[in-house]
Amino acid sequence: LTTARELALFEDKPLADKHITAEVCLHHLLFDDRDYHRLGHQIKCNPAIKTRADRDALRQALLSDRLDVIGTDHAPHTWAQKQLGYRQAPSGMPLVQHALPALLELVADGHLPLTTLVAKTSHRVADLFAIADRGYVREGYWADLVLIKPEPAGKPVNSQPILARCGWTPFAERSFRHSVSTTLVSGHLAWHNGQVVNSCQGLPLQFGRWARGLTEPQSLPSHWAWLSRLPFCWIPVALKVPLTLVVN
């Protein structure tokens, strides 16, 4: 969802009681139409970023059960492509690397409780897609963890390497008050001390879509197996194949 008007179409009730669920992407929570003057086509996406009032309404809806999950919608188009004219420039932007530090700005500013952020990016995703043994810190579950380092003075994004091959980020002019120090995927180090651990290999997710009447967990399709090898444990909800994110 991207507008306040759309929110009225969805009910505020527990996920288990819903037949239709709602998602919001992080860029619709962090940018608004005032940013077009500064960032131009960098933040061109589909659906488009809307007004400040819409952004604020989406943030408020996260405090209830009207919005169920937060997605990233990662789309790493090249810098050259994004400099084309409006009709030619592709929609979407690279978001995975800075998704969690960016969302934690909402926590730092008092817009979102940390527990709600964890729920909307991990717990509810695991619940919605019936992902087996992931999404929670529980005995016997896979250790998919992100360890966060506070940065009280703010850490400039442009002082850090861009890991996406496209080489740019719409957050380049921002500073974040948290950084990712360590990422564990299925109990193995995937990111530590500013380095991707290339030896880390993910595992196929086991999940079932209750909306389709599936009762047994299903393996991640082979042509999506690369998702389990991502260096960041995040949620590409646009593909509806979420990976687990837990803030600790």
Side-chain angles (χ1 to χ4, degrees):
L1 303 189
T2 64
T3 68
R5 290 181 62 188
E6 291 171 304
L7 291 170
L9 301 174
F10 294 84
E11 296 178 289
D12 180 4
K13 63 182 183 181
L15 181 64
D17 297 335
K18 291 185 176 184
H19 294 292
I20 300 176
T21 56
E23 170 190 312
V24 62
C25 288
L26 69 98
H27 45 292
H28 294 113
L29 298 170
L30 298 166
F31 296 107
D32 60 61
D33 58 356
R34 298 170 300 171
D35 295 307
Y36 284 117
H37 177 74
R38 178 172 55 89
L39 296 172
H41 298 164
Q42 290 184 54
I43 59 170
K44 178 188 174 185
C45 56
N46 188 17
I49 290 165
K50 305 300 197 304
T51 67
R52 183 179 185 180
D54 289 313
R55 183 205 68 180
D56 291 346
L58 294 170
R59 290 179 177 183
Q60 185 65 31
L62 281 173
L63 301 178
S64 68
D65 288 324
R66 198 174 296 275
L67 286 174
D68 302 292
V69 295
I70 300 173
T72 61
D73 196 30
H74 181 66
H77 300 292
T78 67
W79 179 255
Q81 289 173 319
K82 295 295 276 186
Q83 303 310 303
L84 297 173
Y86 179 79
R87 293 183 181 276
Q88 291 77 36
S91 296
M93 61 197 90
L95 293 167
V96 169
Q97 179 178 350
H98 301 101
L100 182 53
L103 287 169
L104 282 169
E105 289 296 292
L106 298 180
V107 176
D109 289 335
H111 298 300
L112 198 64
L114 181 59
T115 52
T116 301
L117 177 60
V118 174
K120 303 290 185 175
T121 58
S122 185
H123 300 337
R124 296 292 83 80
V125 179
D127 295 341
L128 177 59
F129 297 101
I131 301 175
D133 302 330
R134 299 184 187 271
Y136 291 85
V137 179
R138 291 175 177 169
E139 184 177 357
Y141 275 47
W142 291 102
D144 296 326
L145 300 171
V146 177
L147 307 182
I148 299 301
K149 177 184 177 182
E151 305 281 359
K155 187 172 183 179
V157 172
N158 60 16
S159 70
Q160 308 163 57
I162 302 299
L163 300 180
R165 291 185 179 181
C166 63
W168 68 277
T169 172
F171 299 117
E173 299 177 11
R174 297 199 181 191
S175 294
F176 295 140
R177 286 165 281 183
H178 298 85
S179 62
V180 175
S181 63
T182 301
T183 302
L184 294 172
V185 177
S186 300
H188 298 280
L189 280 175
W191 169 264
H192 189 61
N193 289 333
Q195 297 291 326
V196 174
V197 181
N198 292 321
S199 61
C200 179
Q201 295 293 314
L203 297 172
L205 297 177
Q206 300 292 320
F207 64 98
R209 290 290 297 273
W210 57 265
R212 294 181 180 176
L214 299 178
T215 57
E216 295 297 326
Q218 306 295 309
S219 296
L220 189 70
S222 59
H223 58 283
W224 286 344
W226 60 272
L227 286 170
S228 64
R229 297 191 293 272
L230 287 175
F232 290 93
C233 247
W234 193 242
I235 308 170
V237 180
L239 293 177
K240 295 296 181 283
V241 186
L243 299 178
T244 305
L245 167 68
V246 178
V247 182
N248 189 16

